[in-house]
Every structure is written in structure tokens, then in C-alpha cells.
Amino acid sequence: MTTDSSNNYFNNQQEPRQASLSNPSWPFIVTGFAKLLSYLFHPLFIPTYFFLYLMQYYSFEFAGITDWQLKLRLFGVFWMTAFFPAFAVFLLWRLKFSTGIFLRTQKERIVPYIITMFFYWWMHYLSRNFPDQPEVLKFFYTGIFICSVAGLLANNSYKISMHAMGAGGFAAALILTSFHYQNTDGIAISIALLLAGLISTARLILNEHSFKEVYTGLAAGAICQLLSYYFVM
């Protein structure tokens, strides 16, 4: 491949995609809110949010654990599933392996997917081998590990939405958790479904993804949690 063709390929990868919600003049407040949602509900934060949900709604699963120990566990979840993967992306950027921390091309997402898979597999291992963990964490961590594998495979063909995978998986995990404990968490599930819709819309407004990339992301996140629940629980 010649230098010109290589540059053309790279430039094509960097080109902004056509607007999925085609309106070139979204008000600043709309795009600002879309960016805020994308930051607050980044897929790396989803495991931490799910653990917080369990702490709030299923505190009996942590019987015998002091508040300090529970806070340490929450910190451990954030440390392993959010901080380390994010720090790895930061290092890739500083070492010039990527053009930024937002991973806007398929090529830039390959290594972060693999790194994230490692940390999710480790959390899956801990949940399966430590009996004092809430039971539902077994299927949840397994599900996000499988979803990261699915995302890496899909990334070979198109830039599937990580945000949509996280939002879809989170909503499915809450529904399955409610089913597992035979407890009606209508408000929490409704909020999760609403957030999934808002997050997906935000990615479209910001022109980061197409409808196909968002819809398949939502489906992948939900299906991976369903498969994990079926085979693990």
C-alpha cells in the first residue's frame, strides 16, 4: 500500500460520519446535555453503578460486611473496571498509539477492548470463586466480559457503540436481578430503560454513531446479559 493510499485510509477512518439525527444546528444546550450524558454514563462506569444499585436495593446480600469494607469493595470495583482501563487508554494516547482518548476509529479501539476484556474476566473470576459476593454479580460480570468479546469481534466490521452496549447491558441486568430475587424494581428498571434511550440518542446527536451501531450495541449488551444469566445462574 502506497503512502498516499495509507494516508487516505487513515483520513477516511477519521472523517466524521454523516449525522444520524440529521440536524446540523442542534442548540448548544442539546449537544452539551448529550456530552454530559456520554461522560456520566460511559460504559466503564456501568459496573460501579450496578454495584451501587445492589448496595441500595439488596443490602441484605452484604450482611456481615462493615460499611468500611463495603466502601472498599465499591472502590475496588471502580478501580478494576473503570480506572485501570481508562488509564490504559490514556497511556496509549500519550505513547502515540492513538490520536486521542475518545477512540473514534475502529483501529484505535482494538487494544482498549483487549485490555478491558482482561479486567472484566478477572472480575468474573473473583465473583465465581468468592462466596461472599452477591449472587447476581456472577452473571453480570460474565455478561460484560462476553459483551466485550462481542464488541471486539463486531469492531472488525463496524464501530459498534460501546455506550449502547453498556446501557443495554445495564438495563437488562436490572431486569434480570429483579427477576432473580422476585422483587419488583419498577422505578429502577424504568430509569434504566429511560437512560438507555437517552444515552443512545445522545450518541446519535453527537454524530458519533449510526442507527445500526447504536441498535446493535443495545441488542449486544442485553443479549449478553441474558445468555450469561441462562448459563451461569
Side-chain angles (χ1 to χ4, degrees):
M1 182 180 289
T2 64
T3 303
D4 290 339
S5 61
S6 299
N7 289 335
N8 289 335
Y9 174 78
F10 183 77
N11 290 332
N12 289 336
Q13 288 288 325
Q14 294 292 343
E15 284 181 358
R17 59 187 64 243
Q18 293 182 351
S20 299
L21 295 178
S22 54
N23 186 340
S25 57
W26 286 106
F28 173 77
I29 191 171
V30 175
T31 57
F33 183 66
K35 288 180 181 179
L36 180 63
L37 278 176
S38 297
Y39 294 145
L40 289 178
F41 297 99
H42 191 280
L44 291 180
F45 297 148
I46 297 301
T48 303
Y49 292 151
F50 185 70
F51 197 86
L52 279 169
Y53 165 75
L54 293 179
M55 289 171 57
Q56 180 67 32
Y57 285 87
Y58 300 97
S59 56
F60 59 84
E61 283 281 24
F62 303 99
I65 300 176
T66 65
D67 288 341
W68 175 246
Q69 290 173 324
L70 192 54
K71 290 177 182 177
L72 286 177
R73 289 198 180 189
L74 176 63
F75 178 76
V77 171
F78 173 80
W79 196 251
M80 294 296 292
T81 62
F83 177 80
F84 277 129
F87 185 65
V89 171
F90 174 78
L91 287 180
L92 289 172
W93 170 51
R94 298 309 298 167
L95 293 172
K96 308 300 182 183
F97 288 106
S98 66
T99 58
I101 61 173
F102 295 105
L103 308 178
R104 288 196 165 95
T105 68
Q106 292 165 242
K107 184 178 180 181
E108 290 177 335
R109 293 178 170 221
I110 296 173
V111 176
Y113 263 124
I114 295 172
I115 293 172
T116 305
M117 282 166 52
F118 169 78
F119 286 107
Y120 287 172
W121 176 85
W122 181 244
M123 297 303 288
H124 150 79
Y125 174 81
L126 293 178
S127 68
R128 296 292 300 274
N129 291 278
F130 284 81
D132 60 345
Q133 295 280 344
E135 208 173 24
V136 293
L137 285 178
K138 296 178 182 178
F139 86 79
F140 176 73
Y141 286 135
T142 304
I144 60 175
F145 169 70
I146 296 172
C147 195
S148 63
V149 175
L152 178 61
L153 295 175
N155 188 68
N156 292 320
S157 302
Y158 62 99
K159 197 181 80 170
I160 188 171
S161 173
M162 294 178 176
H163 280 79
M165 286 194 293
F170 182 67
L174 261 62
I175 294 171
L176 292 169
T177 299
S178 178
F179 175 78
H180 178 75
Y181 289 111
Q182 296 296 299
N183 184 36
T184 304
D185 296 334
I187 295 178
I189 292 172
S190 298
I191 292 173
L193 291 172
L194 176 62
L195 283 174
L198 290 174
I199 294 165
S200 300
T201 304
R203 303 310 288 166
L204 294 171
I205 288 174
L206 295 174
N207 203 22
E208 294 289 345
H209 292 285
S210 66
F211 282 105
K212 173 187 174 182
E213 292 164 347
V214 168
Y215 289 153
T216 54
L218 288 170
I223 290 171
C224 287
Q225 289 295 324
L226 285 168
L227 289 175
S228 177
Y229 184 84
Y230 179 78
F231 287 109
V232 172
M233 301 302 288

